[in-house]
Amino acid sequence: AREWLGRAAASVLPFLLERVLATGATAIAWHTGLLTATYTLALFLFAPAWGRLSDRWEQRPVILVGLIGFGASLALFAFVENLVLLYLGRFLSGAFAAGVVPVALALIADRAPNEDWRAQRFAWINIAGFGGFLIGPTLGGAIAWLAKQGFLVSMAAPLSALPFLISAAAALVAAVAGYVFGPVRSGRDKLATGAGGADPRLAPVIRRLLLIAAVVAAAVGAFEVGLAIRAKELLGMSAAQIGLMFTECSLVMVLAQAIVFSPLIPVEMTRWLVVPALLTLGLALVAMPWATNALSIFVVVGAVAASAGVLSPILTFWASLMAGELQGAELGRQAAAASLGTAIGSALGGLLFGLGDLPDLAFLVAAAATFGSALIGYRLPVLLLSRGAKPARATITCGRLRRLSAPDH
C-alpha cells in the first residue's frame, strides 16, 4: 500500500508544480527531480532510526505511525501553494514512509517459525512493492483523467490535488487495517530477556551485504534513468513504448522474486546466487548501448530486471538472518543503503547522459560498479556459513519463538 500510494502521488508531481510555479517546463522538470531526491534522502536518513525504535518499542505502532504520518503528509500536498512547503511535505512523506517497509520486514522476521517461511514472506513484500510500482502511476493518471473528464467535478480541491487526497485517505484505511489485524509483540520483551543483535564477528559480512545492496540499487537507478532518456532522445520511442519497457521490468522482477524463494530453491542455497546475479546485471548493463531494436531492448531489460529481482530479496533475507533479535535496526540500515544507492544512481544517470559525446556512459559506469561488487561478494557463500549465519531451526516454547542454533552454529 505504501508503494502504490507513493507512486500515485509522485506521478502527478509535475502537475502540482505547474500549479505552484509560474515558470516554464525546465524549472518544473528540475524541481520534480529534486523533490524525488528529497523523498529518497528522507528514506535514507530515517529508516535506521525507525528500525531501532521498533526494536525497543513495538513494531505495529511504528508501522501505524508511519502510515498515518505518510497519509497526513500526502494530504498536505493537496493544499500547498508554496514551494518551500512542497519540499517540506515531500521530506515528511519520505521520513514517515521509512517507518513502514523495513519495520514490516522486521515484524515478519521476528515471527518466522522457520527460515523458509521468512524467505517467502520477504519475497511477498518485495512483490507487493513492485505491484505498487505498477499500480501507483496508473492510479494517479486515472484519477487525473476522471477529474478532467468531469466525473469528479464535485470535488472542491484542484485537479492536481485529487490523487494526493485519495492516496491520503487510502493510507489511513491501511493504518486502520493494520491496527485491527496487526499482531502485537513488544520489543521490550526481547531486550528484557537479554537477547541482542548480530554477532560482532559478522560485522564485515554485513558491511559487504550493505555495500552490495547500495551498488545494486545505484545500478538499477542509473539504468532506469538512462533507459528512459535514451529511449526518448536517441531511439525516438513514445511514452507508451517506454512505459511498456518499465512494465516488463517490474513483471520480470516479480517473477524472479517469486521463483528465488519458492520450494524449487532451498533457502540455504540462495547465497550462491548473489555473484551470478551480479555478473548478469553487469553484462546486461554493458550490452544496453548496443540494444537498438525492440527485441534486443526486451532481452536486456529482462536480464537487468531478473538479476535485480533475484538480488534484492536475497540480500535482505541474509541481512535479516544475521541481525539477531534486533531486526528493525539491521533492516533499517539495509533500506537506507538501498535508498542512498537509488538516489546516487538516479542522479548520476541523468548527469552522465548529459555528456554529449558519451550518452551511454551511465550504463558502463553502473556495470563497472556492479562487477566490482561481484569481486567484493565472491566469498559471501562461504562467509555466511563459516561465521554463524546458517539458517536456524525454530520451535515454539511457552507461546514464543525461540531460536535454536543450527548443528554447527
Side-chain angles (χ1 to χ4, degrees), residues 130-341:
F130 283 115
F133 181 86
L134 289 170
I135 296 172
T138 303
L139 174 67
I143 294 171
W145 181 85
L146 287 173
K148 188 174 182 180
Q149 299 302 315
F151 293 107
L152 300 176
V153 292
S154 60
M155 298 290 293
L159 167 63
S160 58
L162 294 178
F164 295 103
L165 290 174
I166 295 175
S167 296
L172 295 179
V173 170
V176 171
Y179 178 79
V180 174
F181 300 108
V184 179
R185 181 181 173 190
S186 175
R188 291 187 296 268
D189 293 341
K190 294 183 290 185
L191 296 181
T193 64
D199 188 327
R201 295 174 299 172
L202 294 174
V205 186
I206 293 175
R207 284 196 292 270
R208 292 190 188 211
L209 290 173
L210 289 172
L211 180 58
I212 294 173
V215 170
V216 171
V220 173
F223 170 77
E224 289 180 344
V225 172
L227 177 64
I229 299 176
R230 183 174 184 271
K232 180 179 183 297
E233 301 296 334
L234 298 184
L235 303 180
M237 299 177 70
S238 66
Q241 290 172 317
I242 296 172
L244 284 176
M245 287 193 299
F246 283 104
T247 299
E248 178 208 349
C249 189
S250 296
L251 291 176
V252 172
M253 282 186 175
V254 167
L255 181 61
Q257 295 192 21
I259 292 174
V260 73
F261 282 134
S262 71
L264 299 175
I265 302 176
V267 67
E268 66 274 9
M269 296 301 295
T270 57
R271 69 192 194 279
W272 293 99
L273 299 178
V274 173
V275 172
L278 286 170
L279 294 175
T280 301
L281 177 59
L283 290 172
L285 290 169
V286 169
M288 190 67 228
W290 286 271
T292 56
N293 57 58
L295 178 60
S296 59
I297 292 175
F298 177 84
V299 172
V300 171
V301 170
V304 170
S307 52
V310 166
L311 286 164
S312 178
I314 290 177
L315 295 172
T316 303
F317 169 76
W318 284 96
S320 169
L321 203 61
M322 290 186 293
E325 293 291 343
L326 302 183
Q327 291 289 322
E330 189 55 51
L331 291 171
R333 291 173 62 198
Q334 191 81 3
S339 297
L340 179 63

